[in-house]
Amino acid sequence: MVKEKLKLIRNIGFIAHIDAGKTTTTERILFYTGKTYKLGEVHEGTATTDWMVQEKERGITITSAATYCQWGDYHINIIDTPGHIDFTVEVERSLKVLDGAVVIFCGVGGVEPQSETVWRQAEKYQVPRIAFINKLDRTGADFFSVIEEMKDKLKIATAAVQIPIYEGDDFIGLIDLIRNKAIYYNDEFGTKVVYKDIPKDYQESASKCRDLLIEKLSELDDVFMHKVIEGQLISEKEIISTIRKHVILNKFFPVLGGTSLKNKGVQQILDAICDYMPSPQDLDAVSGINPTNKEHETIKISEKSPFCAICFKVFTDPFVGKLFYIRIYSGKVSTSSYLYNITTGEKERVTKILRMHANKQEIIQEAGAGDIVCLVGFKNTSTGNTLCDKKNLILLEEIKFPEPVVSVAIEPKTKADQEKLFMALNKLADEDPSFKVTYNRETGQNIISGMGQLHLMVMVDRVLREFNVVAKIGKPQVTYKETITKKIEVVGKFVHQSGGRGQYGHVVFIMEPQPRGQGITFDNKIKGGVIPKEFISSVKEGVIEGAESGVLGGYPVVDIKVTLIDGSYHDVDSSELSFKIAAEIGLKEGLRKAKSVILEPIMDLEVITPDEYLSQVIGDINSRRAKISSISDKKNLRILRAYVPLSEVFNYADVLRNLTQGRSSYTIEPSSYEKIPDAVLNKILGV
């Protein structure tokens, strides 16, 4: 019975470019499965999964929302993710725990920049996907053109399992290529689905598209190919099982179509989720590292296996307190039981188990393998931590989050607000790993950093409204980084005599640059006890703290490997503090000697503009230190891709609107960090 239950669970998410229709699709799914009884709309602020005040006001998804529904015998856990690049962390952590994803493409916009980004994120976690081309009712929608774009831009094996039916310019239904039937929707809400014979006008194109589907499956599957070659009759069941097999292997990505807003094609998404997406059982086992012997280990996905789960999100509820969203891979958990947080080494007690429906909560007594639930009662658990049975230790791979690129200063207006601000910022930082809070000792300011201006605007809005803090906000600033350009050996020494017991710390480092994105790496190569073991952790702490602000402008130091190779100590005067200070001194000295440089965030910018404005857009982009990577055509529009420093495109929306009379649009996302030109650096540092 337990095995049968696992087989009928689907853990899926909706991912897409902003405004492709993820939340609208989720809303329809909840309606058709009977989870809700009224259709909510994003533009009216009534969508179930857009429950935050900031989401309702802006008409966009900000935080990933978990919900669930029942379709026939299947239990479907759903995570609706944001599309805006500023909230990409929500997509990242959701994909880490999902078994499958529905990638939604706009029938007009096609494969947009953020579509490529979320596709790459899903690729990283090897999440099986099906594609849904939405908004086929809109003028300019082209189902087959989007499929060609998918092949060209995403380099994938794909084919349609449905094609749209039009009557003039009106989208009226779909043709199911597997069952060879036309699907029509006979009422406004799309609840009366009628299957009919394929219209004569579409019989030839349906036959060609079905042949393409069969051909693509034959290329992937030898058994299927032999049946085709031998002229055997292939049943619907065989086609579905072959598609499912290769979807789970991440070798095939079937394409569906429809219009969620006009209630057409959504039930077929539900059928496809059940037919093609993997169950937790299909993953067979979860793998990780045994922290005791550092060996690779696996646990079979079953309720009978030892408990293993990952906390992928923390959220503060004003009434319940902290909610810990977890994905359970194996075993079971019940109320009042204890779990072991292997990441922190602490035991945690479960006081309550909740099944979430956006911001609504249903209390349950236990949860098991395959479930996505919220636990309440933890004290020392955060995003990315592994929870397991203390007798069967396994550490799952942590979730990696992008570095913030924009910062602002935030200050309380009164002393009474100071403590409230501190608590609010810490709670928000707990919830969102891409939101960083630091204190600038030189200016005495609190600095908050995030993925973009919108991200910080939302966080500031939450500080002011949710936590009732009165605060002053500075202007957004680019988050620069500092790194070194060559390998050096450097000495850090701290000697202080004050009449009584003194301070003595002496370290020798090798400092060398690392590839971008590696952060600070500390390696201990001390042998023979030249520095006692109890001081090594203080040396590492000194390196990490020293890297919080570099020698050029006080920016954080990144992408450096520090290897401790030598040093000395004093029997009486050496202490943890003296070695920590010696390490900081050594790091700063190394930054000066190794010719440190400032790095600036470079953004991947795409501008879609009518042809008549292209020259103005290019001229403006070139004046912003941009490198244009491509210019392509799409119907009557031109698409310009460029890499441009973030500092050059603050308030770019206003500039582009004025340049093109509001007829152009753009998307932007972080790409990399690069050395800032000397002339620009001198301007920033005021030299």
Side-chain angles (χ1 to χ4, degrees):
M1 186 64 202
V2 169
K3 202 170 182 182
E4 198 61 33
K5 176 196 162 192
L6 268 178
K7 195 176 170 184
L8 297 173
I9 291 176
R10 297 289 183 271
N11 292 316
I12 62 106
F14 292 101
I15 58 175
H17 185 90
I18 190 169
D19 201 34
K22 297 176 297 302
T23 303
T24 303
T25 304
T26 306
E27 194 66 31
R28 269 57 185 172
I29 280 177
L30 295 174
F31 176 72
Y32 293 129
T33 56
K35 191 70 189 169
T36 58
Y37 298 96
K38 185 184 176 187
L39 285 174
E41 301 294 355
V42 174
H43 58 274
E44 293 173 2
T46 55
T48 305
T49 52
D50 282 355
W51 57 270
M52 290 174 68
V53 175
Q54 291 80 7
E55 291 176 318
K56 291 176 185 291
E57 288 177 351
R58 289 170 173 82
I60 60 169
T61 303
I62 289 169
T63 184
S64 54
T67 184
Y68 64 96
C69 61
Q70 204 79 17
W71 186 243
D73 294 331
Y74 291 86
H75 178 89
I76 304 172
N77 291 314
I78 298 169
I79 297 181
D80 176 30
T81 66
H84 199 287
I85 189 64
D86 281 19
F87 309 106
T88 189
V89 65
E90 296 289 339
V91 181
E92 192 81 19
R93 60 176 162 199
S94 299
L95 286 170
K96 171 72 177 172
V97 299
L98 291 170
D99 299 333
V102 178
V103 188
I104 301 178
F105 298 92
C106 173
V108 180
V111 182
E112 297 167 283
Q114 188 66 3
S115 311
E116 294 181 64
T117 301
V118 297
W119 192 274
R120 287 195 302 269
Q121 286 173 298
E123 200 73 55
K124 180 168 81 175
Y125 294 111
Q126 286 296 288
V127 177
R129 280 143 280 164
I130 60 177
F132 174 63
I133 300 176
N134 192 22
K135 304 188 180 184
L136 291 179
D137 59 311
R138 282 180 54 184
T139 305
D142 190 332
F143 180 79
F144 298 103
S145 171
V146 178
I147 293 177
E148 290 309 309
E149 259 194 90
M150 288 170 66
K151 291 176 185 174
D152 181 47
K153 290 184 177 179
L154 305 176
K155 312 294 182 201
I156 56 170
T158 185
V161 292
Q162 302 169 350
I163 60 171
I165 304 172
Y166 287 92
E167 197 174 78
D169 292 332
D170 295 332
F171 171 65
I172 59 167
L174 294 159
I175 293 171
D176 184 332
L177 298 175
I178 297 172
R179 296 170 181 84
N180 269 325
K181 288 287 181 183
I183 307 168
Y184 296 98
Y185 303 87
N186 280 4
D187 68 328
E188 182 191 345
F189 297 110
T191 52
K192 294 175 183 174
V193 182
V194 180
Y195 287 81
K196 294 183 179 179
D197 291 335
I198 297 170
K200 284 184 182 178
D201 293 351
Y202 279 88
Q203 284 175 359
E204 188 181 337
S205 60
S207 178
K208 281 181 183 175
C209 291
R210 193 176 197 274
D211 290 344
L212 279 172
L213 174 63
I214 300 295
E215 184 185 318
K216 186 55 70 178
L217 294 175
S218 300
E219 289 172 13
L220 295 167
D221 196 284
D222 290 344
V223 175
F224 194 87
M225 182 177 66
H226 285 305
K227 287 190 173 184
V228 172
I229 291 170
E230 290 164 10
Q232 292 184 35
L233 188 66
I234 298 168
S235 67
E236 293 172 15
K237 195 174 177 181
E238 284 173 308
I239 296 172
I240 290 168
S241 65
T242 306
I243 291 173
R244 184 170 200 272
K245 174 184 171 183
H246 293 285
V247 165
I248 292 171
L249 291 170
N250 264 302
K251 290 183 177 178
F252 183 68
F253 307 94
V255 183
L256 297 86
T259 166
S260 298
L261 188 64
K262 298 295 174 64
N263 312 312
K264 293 179 175 71
V266 179
Q267 293 98 322
Q268 283 64 47
I269 298 175
L270 282 161
D271 290 338
I273 287 167
C274 300
D275 287 343
Y276 308 138
M277 292 274 97
S279 69
Q281 191 180 306
D282 291 307
L283 302 176
D284 190 44
V286 61
S287 59
I289 301 292
N290 184 321
T292 309
N293 55 24
K294 306 299 180 189
E295 293 287 321
H296 182 83
E297 288 194 5
T298 60
I299 291 181
K300 189 167 180 61
I301 291 176
S302 165
E303 287 195 353
K304 293 179 181 177
S305 299
F307 185 83
C308 178
I310 190 168
C311 173
F312 66 93
K313 179 173 176 173
V314 178
F315 196 83
T316 305
D317 183 280
F319 305 106
V320 181
K322 278 189 179 179
L323 303 176
F324 299 86
Y325 286 75
I326 68 159
R327 162 67 197 267
I328 304 173
Y329 290 102
S330 62
K332 288 197 291 190
V333 62
S334 56
T335 306
S336 299
S337 62
Y338 285 88
L339 299 175
Y340 182 65
N341 184 330
I342 192 170
T343 313
T344 62
E346 306 236 1
K347 198 161 73 166
E348 296 276 29
R349 183 170 181 265
V350 180
T351 59
K352 202 180 283 185
I353 304 172
L354 306 171
R355 205 180 285 286
M356 299 300 292
H357 175 48
N359 62 329
K360 294 180 175 66
Q361 303 158 4
E362 176 196 339
I363 298 174
I364 56 176
Q365 294 309 308
E366 68 170 25
D371 282 332
I372 293 176
V373 292
C374 270
L375 302 185
V376 180
F378 293 171
K379 304 292 183 193
N380 297 296
T381 294
S382 56
T383 302
N385 287 183
T386 302
L387 300 157
C388 65
D389 182 340
K390 199 170 184 180
K391 294 175 185 172
N392 294 272
L393 300 181
I394 184 168
L395 180 64
L396 304 180
E397 183 188 3
E398 286 205 359
I399 310 168
K400 291 183 174 64
F401 298 108
E403 283 294 310
V405 294
V406 179
S407 301
V408 297
I410 181 167
E411 291 301 314
K413 275 199 173 177
T414 66
K415 269 199 169 183
D417 286 303
Q418 196 159 350
E419 195 173 331
K420 282 162 69 179
L421 176 64
F422 179 74
M423 285 176 59
L425 294 178
N426 278 343
K427 280 183 179 178
L428 293 175
D430 279 348
E431 290 179 15
D432 185 347
S434 67
F435 177 70
K436 304 286 186 192
V437 182
T438 54
Y439 180 73
N440 188 319
R441 293 175 195 168
E442 292 176 16
T443 62
Q445 290 178 309
N446 298 303
I447 306 295
I448 56 173
S449 307
M451 297 306 298
Q453 285 176 274
L454 179 61
H455 186 198
L456 290 182
M457 279 170 61
V458 168
M459 288 305 199
V460 167
D461 191 51
R462 289 188 64 190
V463 166
L464 303 180
R465 289 159 76 164
E466 280 179 38
F467 299 95
N468 298 314
V469 177
V470 183
K472 295 179 284 186
I473 316 300
K475 286 184 180 177
Q477 303 288 328
V478 174
T479 302
Y480 296 106
K481 308 280 187 188
E482 184 175 335
T483 193
I484 58 174
T485 54
K486 65 177 185 177
K487 182 177 178 179
I488 57 147
E489 184 176 309
V490 67
V491 176
K493 203 165 190 178
F494 177 62
V495 181
H496 180 68
Q497 293 297 333
S498 58
R501 181 180 169 179
Q503 295 284 355
Y504 182 92
H506 171 220
V507 294
V508 182
F509 293 144
I510 288 176
M511 290 172 58
E512 55 192 310
Q514 291 195 111
R516 294 283 174 265
Q518 296 297 306
I520 302 292
T521 306
F522 178 80
D523 195 9
N524 175 29
K525 294 286 185 185
I526 290 291
K527 289 178 182 173
V530 291
I531 297 177
K533 280 184 180 178
E534 60 264 29
F535 296 142
I536 300 298
S537 60
S538 298
V539 175
K540 182 179 179 181
E541 195 179 330
V543 168
I544 301 298
E545 281 194 21
E548 288 176 4
S549 63
V551 295
L552 294 175
Y555 299 115
V557 179
V558 294
D559 305 334
I560 293 178
K561 183 178 181 182
V562 179
T563 306
L564 177 62
I565 58 167
D566 202 0
S568 63
Y569 74 101
H570 189 278
D571 286 333
V572 177
D573 292 349
S574 287
S575 66
E576 291 180 352
L577 178 63
S578 58
F579 272 97
K580 181 181 171 183
I581 295 172
E584 282 197 51
I585 291 168
L587 183 83
K588 301 290 186 189
E589 186 62 25
L591 291 171
R592 293 185 191 96
K593 285 187 175 179
K595 295 184 178 176
S596 66
V597 295
I598 297 292
L599 305 173
E600 63 177 341
I602 304 297
M603 311 301 282
D604 185 355
L605 173 73
E606 181 182 87
V607 181
I608 301 174
T609 182
D611 192 52
E612 61 262 37
Y613 299 110
L614 182 64
S615 58
Q616 292 99 305
V617 171
I618 290 173
D620 179 70
I621 284 290
N622 283 332
S623 72
R624 298 172 186 274
R625 296 193 285 125
K627 293 175 188 170
I628 295 174
S629 57
S630 68
I631 298 173
S632 57
D633 297 322
K634 186 173 184 179
K635 296 179 183 170
N636 58 340
L637 299 170
R638 303 300 290 274
I639 301 171
L640 180 146
R641 292 287 289 264
Y643 294 100
V644 59
L646 175 60
S647 59
E648 300 287 346
V649 284
F650 274 137
N651 302 319
Y652 185 64
D654 295 336
V655 174
L656 187 65
R657 194 181 300 118
N658 293 333
L659 270 179
T660 63
Q661 297 181 0
R663 293 177 61 197
S664 299
S665 62
Y666 80 99
T667 53
I668 192 166
E669 60 183 72
S671 169
S672 60
Y673 270 85
E674 287 182 13
K675 180 182 178 292
I676 198 165
D678 291 339
V680 180
L681 176 61
N682 292 338
K683 193 176 173 184
I684 292 168
L685 299 178
V687 177

